[in-house]
Amino acid sequence: MRKKIFALLALFCMTQTGVQAQTRDSVAFAPHWFVQPQVGVGYHVGEAKFSKLLSPAAQLSVGRQFSPVFGLRLGASGWQARNWQTHPVAEYKWNYVQANLDATVSLTNLIWGWDADRKWNVYGLAGVGLNIAFKNDDANNLAAMNESAGIPALKNGGFEKLWNGTKVLPAGRLGAGIEYALSERVALGLEYNANVLPDKWNSKKGKGDNLDWQQNLLVGVKIALGNTRRHILIEEPLPIVETEPEPVVEEPAPVVVEPEPEVPAVEVPVVEKEPEFKEVKIYFGFSSSRIQSSERSKIDEIMEYLKSHDDKKLTLTGYASRDGKWKYNLKLSRWRANAVKKALVAKGISAARIKIVAKGEANLGSRKESRAAVAVTIEK
């Protein structure tokens, strides 16, 4: 008796574990497009205090998230850059716009794996850009003013790589960011990116022809243009629990009884009573609308009854129950009822004799029945 009790407890625990595993695996990542507008401040490394080298910056990107880890985005960034000349001390500004192609890697999903319920995501980025700088009037005006002052040491006003008009230069990009998901499709984000450009970008010559750096700190929102996750149907067989075999009971030796004298039988007419149709319940796997092989015999019984009773009509009532998914449950219950209807029609039953009712999360009285069942009844 104890062994049977332990076996039942083990079956219950394994069943609960199986249900949890199906729930986790029923949601998967869905590749999607996204748009990402951002604004913030830019900082150009130069010969002045940090606060004097800050300027406005903006970025707009459109991308594709191919997997939980890897994505690509194409965007445009820019606005304004600032720098200072030292002799004499004076500020100058210029404008730029930069086309960017970035590859993004989710470090969170790479390390811990994708989780649909996780809110935080830390990512890194690397890419290339094409920088178009223009409106360098401040530097050119300073150069002309310094030349007119007649300072011999300031050839060209101290700007050794001065440019005018429009300048197109390549750029390399590195950065990182953090996002917090407000919903399945919307996330707030903070991003830092550093752009390295040729030495000529700021009109000045660096020591040893050092490269120029433009760094940006941006806040923005990332909006998915489609579903970021999808529901999948996973049907797992129930665990097999070995039980103790029933004891074999030896049958007693047959007892020989002398036959009674035969008495002529009187035939009594038998009036056959039409058997009543009892409600049949067809069960389904978790989050599934496929009829299991173990339930096929019930379909055959219903078909035989309807073929022998041409005047009868059938009502198929579908049920489904998954916590917090009432819209999905209503659809699933209708899919299950339609699955039974299609099976009966395939066996020759007229579709006009079958009525479909979807109940969704309505409870039939037990967890198994309310989770996955179609009730079959005869209309009166």
Side-chain angles (χ1 to χ4, degrees):
M1 185 65 182
R2 290 182 178 178
K3 291 183 178 180
K4 290 184 177 180
I5 293 174
F6 288 146
L8 289 173
L9 289 174
L11 177 61
F12 175 78
C13 294
M14 293 175 68
T15 303
Q16 296 304 310
T17 303
V19 171
Q20 292 175 359
Q22 289 174 337
T23 302
R24 286 194 302 269
D25 294 339
S26 62
V27 179
F29 172 83
H32 56 274
W33 292 93
F34 65 85
V35 61
Q36 190 175 16
Q38 298 166 294
V39 294
V41 294
Y43 169 71
H44 174 63
V45 179
E47 300 172 352
K49 292 182 180 180
F50 175 81
S51 59
K52 292 185 176 182
L53 296 172
L54 296 178
S55 56
Q59 182 169 280
L60 177 62
S61 304
V62 176
R64 174 77 172 173
Q65 194 67 35
F66 296 98
S67 71
V69 175
F70 178 71
L72 279 177
R73 69 183 189 185
L74 180 65
S77 62
W79 197 327
Q80 186 184 86
R82 299 172 66 188
N83 204 349
W84 289 71
Q85 74 167 18
T86 55
H87 302 291
V89 176
E91 177 191 38
Y92 64 97
K93 305 174 184 177
W94 70 99
N95 297 98
Y96 73 96
V97 64
Q98 182 170 299
N100 305 310
L101 178 62
D102 299 329
T104 62
V105 175
S106 170
L107 304 178
T108 303
N109 294 334
L110 180 65
I111 297 172
W112 291 285
W114 181 78
D115 186 348
D117 297 325
R118 184 184 295 125
K119 299 294 185 182
W120 293 98
N121 176 46
V122 177
Y123 65 91
L125 67 91
V128 294
L130 188 64
N131 189 286
I132 303 173
F134 56 95
K135 203 174 180 181
N136 198 26
D137 300 337
D138 288 355
N140 284 276
N141 291 337
L142 283 174
M145 181 178 65
N146 294 338
E147 288 279 0
S148 64
I151 304 176
L154 292 178
K155 182 181 179 182
N156 200 24
F159 293 95
E160 297 184 42
K161 295 191 175 183
L162 183 66
W163 55 269
N164 197 0
T166 300
K167 197 70 177 177
V168 180
L169 298 169
R173 288 165 55 83
L174 288 174
I178 184 170
E179 298 171 338
Y180 179 79
L182 300 179
S183 66
E184 180 183 346
R185 296 190 180 186
V186 180
L188 293 178
L190 176 67
E191 179 180 310
Y192 163 82
N193 60 64
N195 301 266
V196 57
L197 298 121
D199 186 35
K200 192 171 184 177
W201 190 59
N202 64 2
S203 298
K204 301 178 74 175
K205 178 178 175 61
K207 295 180 180 179
D209 292 329
N210 292 339
L211 298 174
D212 289 338
W213 288 87
Q214 175 69 16
Q215 304 174 52
N216 301 302
L217 185 63
L218 306 169
V219 295
V221 61
K222 185 177 182 181
I223 303 171
L225 302 181
N227 293 330
T228 62
R229 61 195 70 173
R230 59 187 175 88
H231 296 280
I232 57 175
L233 304 180
I234 298 179
E235 298 181 5
E236 298 181 356
L238 293 175
I240 300 174
V241 179
E242 296 183 359
T243 58
E244 185 179 357
E246 294 291 334
V248 179
V249 180
E250 295 183 0
E251 296 183 359
V255 179
V256 179
V257 181
E258 293 294 333
E260 296 287 338
E262 293 185 0
V263 178
V266 179
E267 294 184 1
V268 180
V270 179
V271 179
E272 293 185 358
K273 184 179 179 181
E274 181 181 352
E276 295 183 359
F277 183 85
K278 296 182 180 180
E279 183 183 75
V280 177
K281 294 173 183 175
I282 300 173
Y283 299 113
F284 290 77
F286 177 78
S287 193
S288 173
S289 60
R290 184 177 64 85
I291 300 175
Q292 304 179 82
S293 57
S294 60
E295 302 294 300
R296 291 288 179 180
S297 59
K298 297 179 182 179
I299 301 294
D300 295 334
E301 293 176 6
I302 299 168
M303 179 269 294
E304 294 294 338
Y305 180 85
L306 291 177
K307 284 189 175 181
S308 60
H309 298 79
D310 295 336
D311 58 331
K312 300 293 183 180
K313 292 185 178 181
L314 205 64
T315 298
L316 304 177
T317 306
Y319 296 87
S321 177
R322 180 178 178 185
D323 295 339
K325 302 289 183 181
W326 66 270
K327 289 184 179 179
Y328 177 72
N329 290 334
L330 188 61
K331 292 181 181 180
L332 182 58
S333 64
R334 185 178 296 109
W335 295 340
R336 288 171 171 169
N338 277 319
V340 177
K341 179 179 179 179
K342 290 180 181 178
L344 291 171
V345 171
K347 291 183 177 291
I349 304 302
S350 172
R353 299 174 64 189
I354 303 173
K355 178 181 177 182
I356 296 296
V357 178
K359 290 287 188 177
E361 295 182 356
N363 192 2
L364 292 179
S366 74
R367 184 175 182 183
K368 178 179 179 182
E369 291 173 338
S370 64
R371 184 173 71 242
V374 170
V376 183
T377 55
I378 295 293
E379 293 189 7
K380 297 183 179 179

